[in-house]
């Protein structure tokens, strides 16, 4: 059964109802799921602590809502289509029944290793169907998964293993990415020199030489050997943790965002069906990686709960050629395509040549996520990919929100380039100024907050509830603060303006400036650094680092290269600064605070309007930095 809206007036009516009577509204949506025991109370909350609970005392298993609930009708429908990195390698299709059996076998496999309810399992895998199988098997046995993007370094991986006290890691021997082969298992081994887990399960993908530690490491295929293809799902409470996903904030250390079972399930399915206007039989393709929240909510959970066919692509947009996306859409007759502005801009740079010869007529809906989409990219996407007839859903949300909160409903909400348009039912937004005063009415600009809970919202940051309170619920009283700036225009439409905190968004990947600074400072010659974002044509934002080094620096360019490599090895290649400028000092206030506003101006090249620099300890340093800028 689908709770899909069909008309603009239907949406407006539903929205009003959802605000006037939120509990009745969400109870109605949740009633179409299979609960072993229905909830006693829909919602209990306060944003002070925060303490938010949905569907209290409801008992369920999320995977029963993907499989058992639908197998009779959907068993033979493709659940996952997998497209490999190499176009010459055959693609794979798993029907709902086949996926169910794989999940069951792997659930037994995990349990045979002593992994059960409440244990944390790190998934560090390439984009193969087994990554989704591992997530679903965790959900089935009640283990809490934490997927770590396979592009992160061994240090980042070790930090996450330690923070969540993981019992096991599911990984692979290697990963194919374009013309590169990444030694995934070797990175895991390196991480495990700094910490430890009981079990490492290795899926064979590349067949490359790896080392296996006896007693700790085992092969995926050996472990599932002979395991039954049926499995009795664990009974979970609605508020039991489903997963932890680490994300960057304004401090140096990424935090483990916690999502729980019932609310996340209800919201991801509801938002998936409504935003993309999914209809049965549609082939849906989201190009994200499972290591990001988009890969969780809109590649695995949302689509599978809706009975959709979800396509997973192992490779990158430009390999072996810049038409790879369009070739895949043609090959698998994709109906709904969801990608990031950075990918659109990167492909736009190749012109329309690579699109020619690929039939894109199967497309009905296009989506965008991860960062603000500029008007030019929006129009290119609309004209050349959607051929002017596919609505674009510009979906705003965050790791913390679990699901899409502001977006057009495809084909229903009239769109405006670069606007995420209107909130989904149940989402109560508010715009505040820097002092926290609410800005009412239209044509206003300020900080985006949310005033009422929604089912898939963050519950805590793993192991540190105070940090969750501090970060999201203390800036403005009784409000969840998103960290984004926003404008509400004369029509009441929302346009996201980007982060107002020290988070930068590089190719849709969130990065804390402090996190990058910490990594730069690990280089023995670095004394101090300051990192800011600057506008980048393809990536949205690039990373600009101002670095003070020790005086004995004979070769600048090799030092700059070394610093970049240091960052790549500590965080991962995605965090490598695009520009590094060695400077004699940094603009600091008398109290020692770095004036990032000035550095941002210098980084973006607007050199004449520095604003007030009189509070600086040493105003002359600004001129020196400008002179040193290449
Ligand atoms: C889904 C995801 C969250 C941050 C968020 C924004 C930015 C995401 C849009 C967007 C403008 C969008 N989760 N952001 N979507 N900005 N328009 N449609 O990206 O946790 O990794 O990042 O991304 O700044 O706060 S995330």
């Amino acid at each position: 059964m689908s709770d899909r809206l069909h008309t603009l007036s239907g949406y407006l009516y539903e929205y009003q109802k959802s605000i006037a009577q939120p509990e009745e509204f969400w109870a109605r949506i949740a009633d179409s799921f299979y609960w072993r025991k229905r909830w006693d109370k829909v919602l209990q909350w306060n944003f002070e602590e925060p303490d938010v609970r949905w569907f209290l005392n409801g008992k369920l298993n999320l995977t029963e809502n993907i499989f058992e609930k639908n197998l009779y009708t959907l068993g033979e429908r493709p659940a996952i289509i997998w497209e490999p990195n190499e176009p010459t390698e055959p693609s794979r299709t798993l029907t709902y029944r086949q996926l169910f059996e794989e999940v069951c076998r792997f659930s037994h496999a995990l349990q045979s290793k002593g992994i059960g309810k409440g244990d944390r399992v790190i998934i560090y895998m390439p984009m193969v169907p087994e990554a989704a199988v591992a997530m679903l098997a965790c959900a089935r046995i009640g283990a809490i998964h934490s997927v770590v993007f396979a592009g992160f370094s061994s240090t980042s991986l070790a930090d996450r293993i330690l923070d969540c006290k993981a019992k096991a890691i599911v990984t692979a021997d290697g990963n194919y990415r374009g013309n590169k082969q990444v030694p995934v298992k070797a990175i895991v081994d390196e991480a495990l020199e700094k910490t430890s887990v009981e079990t490492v399960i290795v899926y064979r993908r590349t067949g490359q030489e790896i080392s296996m530690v006896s007693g700790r490491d085992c092969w995926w295929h050996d472990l599932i050997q002979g395991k039954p293809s049926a499995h009795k799902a664990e009974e979970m409470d609605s508020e039991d943790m489903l997963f932890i996903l680490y994300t960057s904030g304004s401090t140096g250390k990424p935090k483990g965002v916690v999502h729980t079972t019932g609310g996340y399930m209800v919201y991801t399915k509801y938002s998936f069906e409504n935003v993309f206007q999914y209809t049965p039989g549609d082939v849906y393709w989201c190009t994200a990686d499972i290591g990001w929240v988009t890969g969780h909510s809109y590649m695995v959970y949302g689509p599978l709960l809706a009975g959709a066919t979800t396509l997973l692509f192992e490779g990158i947009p430009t390999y072996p050629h810049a038409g790879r996306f369009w070739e895949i859409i043609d090959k698998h007759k994709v109906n709904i395509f969801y990608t990031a502005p950075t990918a659109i801009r990167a492909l736009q740079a190749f012109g329309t040549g690579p699109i020619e010869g690929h039939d894109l007529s199967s497309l009905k809906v296009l989506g965008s996520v991860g960062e603000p989409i500029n008007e030019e990219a929006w129009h290119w996407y609309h004209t050349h990919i959607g051929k002017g007839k596919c609505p674009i859903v510009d979906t705003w949300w965050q790791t913390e929100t679990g699901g899409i909160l502001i977006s057009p409903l495809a084909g229903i909400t009239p769109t405006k380039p670069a606007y995420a348009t209107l909130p989904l039912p149940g989402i109560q937004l508010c715009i505040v100024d820097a002092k926290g005063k609410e800005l009412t009415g239209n044509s206003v600009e300020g900080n985006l907050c949310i005033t009422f809970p929604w089912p898939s919202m963050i519950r805590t940051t793993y192991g540190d509830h105070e940090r969750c309170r501090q970060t999201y619920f203390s800036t403005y009283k009784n409000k969840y603060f998103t960290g984004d700036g926003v404008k509400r225009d004369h029509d009441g439409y929302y346009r996201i303006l980007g982060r107002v905190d020290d988070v930068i968004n590089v190719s849709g990947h969130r990065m804390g400036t402090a996190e990058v600074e910490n990594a730069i400072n690990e280089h023995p010659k670095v004394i101090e650094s300051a990192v800011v974002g600057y506008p980048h044509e393809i990536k949205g934002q690039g990373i600009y680092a101002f670095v003070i080094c020790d005086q004995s620096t004979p070769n600048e360019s090799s030092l700059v290269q070394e610093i970049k490599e240091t960052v790549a090895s500590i965080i991962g290649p995605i965090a490598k600064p695009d520009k590094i400028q060695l400077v004699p000092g940094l603009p600091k206030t008398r109290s020692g605070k770095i004036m990032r506003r000035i550095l941002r101006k210098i980084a973006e090249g607007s050199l004449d309007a520095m604003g007030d620099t009189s509070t600086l300890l040493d105003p002359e340093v600004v001129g020196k930095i400008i002179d040193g800028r290449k």
Side-chain angles (χ1 to χ4, degrees):
M1 194 180 93
S2 158
D3 283 296
R4 195 157 61 82
L5 299 160
H6 298 277
T7 59
L8 186 60
S9 57
Y11 156 74
L12 294 168
Y13 178 70
E14 183 107 321
Y15 185 79
Q16 286 315 323
K17 264 201 315 191
S18 76
I19 300 309
Q21 299 188 303
E23 299 193 24
E24 286 78 352
F25 172 76
W26 287 114
R28 198 196 83 220
I29 305 297
D31 259 330
S32 66
F33 290 80
Y34 169 62
W35 300 81
R36 291 212 192 155
K37 180 192 157 292
R38 201 174 182 262
W39 56 89
D40 299 331
K41 192 174 176 206
V42 179
L43 171 66
Q44 177 175 310
W45 70 288
N46 77 71
F47 276 178
E48 297 271 295
E49 304 206 23
D51 178 14
V52 173
R53 297 180 220 190
W54 282 93
F55 311 114
L56 285 83
N57 295 321
K59 304 291 174 195
L60 75 159
N61 186 287
L62 188 152
T63 69
E64 286 186 334
N65 281 278
I66 295 177
F67 299 119
E68 277 88 338
K69 184 165 170 268
N70 294 324
L71 273 186
Y72 281 116
T73 47
L74 293 185
E76 306 321 312
R77 178 181 291 172
I80 294 178
I81 298 175
W82 176 71
E83 178 64 29
N85 183 54
E86 257 348 298
T88 48
E89 191 183 339
S91 47
R92 284 168 63 190
T93 299
L94 282 93
T95 63
Y96 271 86
R97 184 168 306 283
Q98 289 165 334
L99 178 63
F100 176 59
E101 293 180 356
E102 290 302 316
V103 169
C104 288
R105 274 190 272 271
F106 199 64
S107 298
H108 286 292
L110 291 170
Q111 286 176 325
S112 73
K113 285 286 170 184
I115 299 157
K117 206 168 184 167
D119 290 334
R120 274 82 55 219
V121 175
I122 296 257
I123 298 175
Y124 186 70
M125 286 189 92
M127 285 286 297
V128 289
E130 283 69 18
V133 170
M135 291 164 75
L136 295 167
C138 286
R140 195 153 178 98
I141 68 169
I144 301 160
H145 62 70
S146 183
V147 183
V148 176
F149 172 56
F152 276 128
S153 70
S154 65
T155 313
S156 295
L157 177 59
D159 288 345
R160 288 155 175 77
I161 295 168
L162 272 173
D163 189 82
C164 75
K165 302 184 188 65
K167 190 162 179 177
I169 302 182
V170 184
T171 187
D173 51 355
N175 184 3
Y176 294 120
R177 294 281 292 167
N179 54 20
K180 293 200 198 87
Q181 193 171 317
V182 185
V184 178
K185 175 61 164 62
I187 299 171
V188 171
D189 291 337
E190 213 176 288
L192 291 179
E193 284 168 17
K194 296 163 198 145
T195 167
S196 70
V197 297
E198 287 169 21
T199 303
V200 179
I201 302 171
V202 188
Y203 175 73
R204 181 176 280 152
R205 171 61 190 120
T206 58
Q208 69 197 91
E209 192 78 29
I210 59 166
S211 63
M212 296 287 274
V213 174
S214 91
R216 186 193 74 186
D217 302 356
C218 58
W219 287 102
W220 174 297
H221 55 263
D222 288 338
L223 200 60
I224 61 167
Q225 189 71 42
K227 295 286 188 292
S229 59
H231 176 276
K232 178 103 187 71
E234 196 70 35
E235 182 165 296
M236 306 301 289
D237 186 87
S238 189
E239 281 299 330
D240 278 340
M241 282 188 203
L242 178 63
F243 66 84
I244 304 167
L245 185 59
Y246 286 86
T247 192
S248 298
S250 19
T251 61
K253 192 172 157 259
K255 44 189 175 283
V257 171
V258 170
H259 285 288
T260 59
T261 307
Y264 180 83
M265 170 183 79
V266 169
Y267 196 84
T268 52
K269 174 177 184 267
Y270 178 77
S271 54
F272 172 76
E273 288 179 337
N274 277 289
V275 169
F276 299 103
Q277 288 291 298
Y278 166 77
T279 54
D282 283 347
V283 175
Y284 164 87
W285 179 20
C286 166
T287 69
D289 189 282
I290 42 148
W292 312 116
V293 73
T294 310
H296 286 57
S297 304
Y298 298 110
M299 240 157 102
V300 176
Y301 288 112
L304 293 178
L305 284 160
T309 299
T310 176
L311 192 151
L312 308 189
F313 174 44
E314 179 181 42
I316 59 170
T318 49
Y319 178 84
H321 53 77
R324 185 73 170 119
F325 273 5
W326 324 129
E327 180 178 273
I328 295 173
I329 290 173
D330 188 353
K331 178 175 173 188
H332 296 289
K333 301 294 166 222
V334 171
N335 305 113
I336 305 171
F337 179 64
Y338 190 31
T339 195
T342 186
I344 298 167
R345 289 189 298 263
L347 294 172
Q348 189 183 354
F350 289 90
T352 52
I355 306 171
E356 280 160 29
H358 303 298
D359 177 9
L360 304 184
S361 62
S362 57
L363 287 174
K364 296 192 295 189
V365 173
L366 300 175
S368 171
V369 62
E371 47 175 323
I373 180 165
N374 48 308
E375 289 189 39
E376 204 195 335
W378 195 99
H379 285 294
W380 190 84
Y381 197 29
H382 189 252
T383 307
H384 299 291
I385 306 307
K387 314 294 179 195
K389 59 184 181 47
C390 300
I392 296 180
V393 290
D394 178 358
T395 64
W396 176 85
W397 59 297
Q398 310 177 298
T399 305
E400 295 85 345
T401 69
I404 298 166
L405 300 195
I406 311 180
S407 172
L409 308 184
I412 292 176
T413 315
T415 58
K416 243 187 234 187
Y419 279 76
T421 73
L422 299 172
L424 262 61
I427 306 306
Q428 306 194 26
L429 306 174
C430 117
I431 302 181
V432 298
D433 67 13
K435 293 194 187 90
K437 188 169 105 36
E438 188 169 342
L439 305 172
T440 53
N442 289 341
S443 305
V444 292
E445 204 177 299
N447 294 343
L448 179 62
C449 293
I450 306 167
T451 55
F452 194 86
W454 64 101
S456 65
M457 72 183 289
I458 181 175
R459 299 298 195 270
T460 188
T461 44
Y462 192 78
D464 191 352
H465 192 64
E466 173 56 17
R467 191 163 175 211
C468 173
R469 193 192 65 78
Q470 276 275 343
T471 312
Y472 307 106
F473 298 91
S474 71
T475 319
Y476 303 110
K477 197 169 154 53
N478 284 323
K479 294 178 180 69
Y480 166 85
F481 176 42
T482 63
D484 279 313
V486 71
K487 166 179 150 177
R488 184 166 50 221
D489 77 354
H490 51 275
D491 290 327
Y493 267 34
Y494 291 85
R495 177 177 189 155
I496 306 297
L497 304 170
R499 303 288 303 199
V500 296
D501 53 9
D502 288 328
V503 171
I504 45 185
N505 192 327
V506 183
S507 300
H509 303 318
R510 259 168 82 164
M511 223 111 43
T513 51
E515 204 182 339
V516 182
E517 286 161 8
N518 291 346
I520 292 174
N521 298 349
E522 286 293 309
H523 190 283
K525 283 207 151 42
V526 171
I527 293 167
E528 197 180 356
S529 62
V531 164
V532 296
Y534 72 98
H536 187 287
E537 220 172 292
I538 305 240
K539 300 179 180 184
Q541 280 189 299
I543 303 178
Y544 197 123
F546 298 88
V547 181
I548 309 176
C549 281
D550 125 2
Q551 294 299 311
S552 57
T553 322
N555 188 338
E556 256 197 37
S557 73
S558 73
L559 178 63
V560 162
Q561 204 44 44
E562 276 174 41
I563 295 174
K564 287 187 182 178
E565 291 313 320
T566 306
V567 176
S569 79
I570 292 175
I571 304 176
I574 51 171
K576 258 193 213 182
D578 299 274
K579 293 184 186 170
I580 294 182
Q581 182 182 341
L582 302 184
V583 293
L586 292 167
K588 288 187 177 178
T589 61
R590 278 167 233 273
S591 58
K593 227 174 167 300
I594 296 172
M595 297 262 277
R596 283 167 196 284
R597 170 176 63 80
I598 292 174
L599 294 176
R600 266 184 230 119
K601 285 249 156 82
I602 299 176
E604 69 186 40
S606 30
L607 303 179
D608 25 76
M610 274 314 141
D612 183 12
T613 56
S614 62
T615 56
L616 287 178
L617 189 62
D618 171 18
E620 273 170 29
V621 81
V622 177
K624 290 183 194 153
I625 297 175
I626 292 175
D627 290 343
R629 192 177 176 277
K630 289 177 208 103

